[in-house]
Amino acid sequence: MNLCPKRWSRRKEARPHEILEAALELFAEKGYAATRIDEIAKRAGVTRGTPYLYFAGKEEIFKALISELLLPALDEAEALFNGFSGSASERLRCVVHVWWQSMGETRLSALPKLMVAEAGNFPEVAQLYNEQFVARGEAIFRQVIEAGIASGEFRAIDVEYALHVLCAPVVMAMLSRYMPCGHAQLDPVRYLDTLLDLMLHGLYPHPDSTRSEVSDHA
Amino acid sequence: MNLCPKRWSRRKEARPHEILEAALELFAEKGYAATRIDEIAKRAGVTRGTPYLYFAGKEEIFKALISELLLPALDEAEALFNGFSGSASERLRCVVHVWWQSMGETRLSALPKLMVAEAGNFPEVAQLYNEQFVARGEAIFRQVIEAGIASGEFRAIDVEYALHVLCAPVVMAMLSRYMPCGHAQLDPVRYLDTLLDLMLHGLYPHPDSTRSEVSDHA
Amino acid sequence: MNLCPKRWSRRKEARPHEILEAALELFAEKGYAATRIDEIAKRAGVTRGTPYLYFAGKEEIFKALISELLLPALDEAEALFNGFSGSASERLRCVVHVWWQSMGETRLSALPKLMVAEAGNFPEVAQLYNEQFVARGEAIFRQVIEAGIASGEFRAIDVEYALHVLCAPVVMAMLSRYMPCGHAQLDPVRYLDTLLDLMLHGLYPHPDSTRSEVSDHA
Amino acid sequence: MNLCPKRWSRRKEARPHEILEAALELFAEKGYAATRIDEIAKRAGVTRGTPYLYFAGKEEIFKALISELLLPALDEAEALFNGFSGSASERLRCVVHVWWQSMGETRLSALPKLMVAEAGNFPEVAQLYNEQFVARGEAIFRQVIEAGIASGEFRAIDVEYALHVLCAPVVMAMLSRYMPCGHAQLDPVRYLDTLLDLMLHGLYPHPDSTRSEVSDHA
DNA sequence: AATGAATGAGCGTTCATTCAT
DNA sequence: GATGAATGAACGCTCATTCAT
């Protein structure tokens, strides 16, 4: 059993993170309730009792997924957005793609799925998620839209509503990774490009069709 | 204990439906795993053993929610769509609003939430949901978009991708009813109107701004 | 449902017997605990509540199997024994074969199996079985052996012990009908003839080996 | 609650055996179905969940009774038989008495009772029992009888049938320990001696009655 | 720090029994 | 007399959590 005698000598401070990664994978696959602490421990390479050395219980692991994995990723994404300048449409494109690269296509996309499923059962976790993640994410999109309207690049639509229309496909793309349904066969990047194209130009034929950009991607 | 003397006289045919309604409410509130059969039974006004007279087990109740509640609602909605004629944009508006009225704003919107959470754990239910509900729902939207393109009313965008961009906010509006997050404070109808406006016209200012329709609704 | 309107007009007094026969079959196949009242009812051609019109509960059905089916069969067998005269060995042969024909090879052989399994759980039934069936059965064998000893046809062995040695294979032949083991492939009649052959040649005090009789039976 | 401070320190290897012993006792007393896992646990000095640490379920406990308790006892008994030499009648006596001592008069005699009751419900367990226990047990008796016939010490009777006639009282003696019936009041050893006496005098092809041996034991 | 044996509350399911019809 | 919908106690099994080592 103890094949490697020093197998945890250097790992001490890494343990909580390993446990969280294991938990995230399993919660993504099976949901919160169907994931056993044993499985998390085993996938993290530890035994049943170890998670309790670092987390008070299953719910605390859930909460830590938000604060220890998701929020830091949002911090990084925000830094990328902030370092980007350009037209409103260029910033919108940037925000959508950076969002996807830094969160959507990573294991973190499991968290929106988890929150859809468990928000009602864990109000405390839901509050953390909403205040620290959703609100900040929406603020990013809101800024871009508002700036576009202010500069006259965008129409003066209702920002709050447009914002959610814009976010919904991004979130759905994250959720779809865990469902064997229609979305699943689509290429997410092309999907997001279509989103941007439609959001910017609409379905109606353009008076000037030079703005269409989705065809670049094939 | 015997509060109601005729407590089962004429209920036989009604029982399964009562149980499904109770299950749907509870699954919506707490998710599949966190809902106990006892609770379903109690909310349906029966006792622990009664659900098993009508359903083989918890999973069968889940499956019956799809086949007995959701699919009939889709049947009705389809009938409404089919009875509607008009321009592609008028039909799109019709489809989105009928969808919302006949499913989105009803208790049935719990089922997409459930499927997000449990598709991985119940492949059989997921297959039923995808084949009988998602595929048919997408087909409705696809027809409208394809007809619009064929008639020249819409641009020749990639139908499959546009379809999912269009559906995503509709589905998110359903999911959002069970989350205390941003979407929650929005008026769903106005949200869908914004979706239609953006999808048809895009964010860019119109060359002819007479087409904007969202202002009608306020 | 009521395809045959008078389907029970003539059956009223037959119902209890039909229920007992169904119960006997099912208890034999699956044991007492694993047999559901529903199954008994269905096999008897009635519904769930009907057995309770005739029997106070499951245990009463069990008890009635003894008193209503087994004991009458023993009565008949006893009548046959009593009408038979001959040497002790002839009477022994008669007893063994009549026992087998009237009980061993019928569905009644399920009852010894049931009693082996359930005597500890149903002391009242066990008492009935022991006092009314086992004791009377043993008495029959005891009489024959004692008469054989008294007449000098048999050795003066210990009657009580010999009696049980003699009965054991008879009972085992009954039990074996419900087990897929070694006994199962044997022909019961030939088995009992072997028993008699072995028992008699041990019981006879005198030493000519011409008496072997098992070959008669093919 | 914490009456015994070292309540599980060194028990890990002993637990499965303790649980099996408890299960064997309770299955013997009440049968398989009427024995609750809770009772087994309590009698083994553990709580409800502990048996599941060592056995996959109730049926696995049943199966383990055969493989972990009964078959090892048969191994030991076989070793004793194999170390014994003598005439066929002496070997027969040896086999019967060793059988009784190593299995019949121990708690293992519960297993034949259990198998009579449950063979039909657990075909897999029945197969294990028949192939590994019954078949091997019969082989032991068969060898002795065949050797006796080969040496001329026994008559040339039909071995398969005689074998089962011989075994039946041995098995019945085991079953009888769990029934409050006739057999119960007999001394098993004297019962087996009577069996041997009767069997041998039937098996011996030659006719001097001086060989009666049961009187020795009284 | 880490282990893993043990706990025990909780849940899905079954089924003997009841009783309004 | 017969039905069968409904009941509710009981049981097998699970799993988050604890704690002696």
Side-chain angles (χ1 to χ4, degrees), chain B residues 1 8 12 15 47 50 54:
Chain B
M1 191 136 299
W8 54 268
K12 191 196 167 185
R15 282 278 183 257
T47 54
T50 304
Y54 301 101

Side-chain angles (χ1 to χ4, degrees), chain C residues 186-204:
Chain C
L186 303 182
D187 169 34
V189 173
R190 193 168 162 197
Y191 174 68
L192 294 174
D193 283 332
T194 303
L195 166 66
L196 287 163
D197 179 39
L198 288 168
M199 287 301 289
L200 287 171
H201 288 81
L203 284 167
Y204 282 141

Side-chain angles (χ1 to χ4, degrees), chain C residues 30 33 117 121 130 155 158 161 164 168-169 172 175 180-181 183 186-187 190-191 194 197-199 201-202 207 212, chain D residues 30 33 117 121 130 155 158 161 164-165 168-169 172 175 180-181 183 186-187 190-191 194 197-199 201-202 207 212:
Chain C
K30 316 158 64 125
N121 295 326
N130 284 323
R155 279 197 288 148
D158 184 320
Y161 286 83
H164 287 99
M172 280 302 297
L175 298 181
C181 74
H183 274 91
L186 303 182
D187 169 34
R190 193 168 162 197
Y191 174 68
T194 303
D197 179 39
L198 288 168
M199 287 301 289
H201 288 81
S212 183
Chain D
K30 316 160 62 130
N121 296 326
N130 285 322
R155 280 198 287 152
D158 184 320
Y161 285 83
H164 286 98
V165 170
M172 280 302 297
L175 298 180
C181 73
H183 274 91
L186 303 182
D187 169 36
R190 192 168 164 196
Y191 174 68
T194 303
D197 178 39
L198 289 168
M199 288 301 291
H201 287 82
S212 182

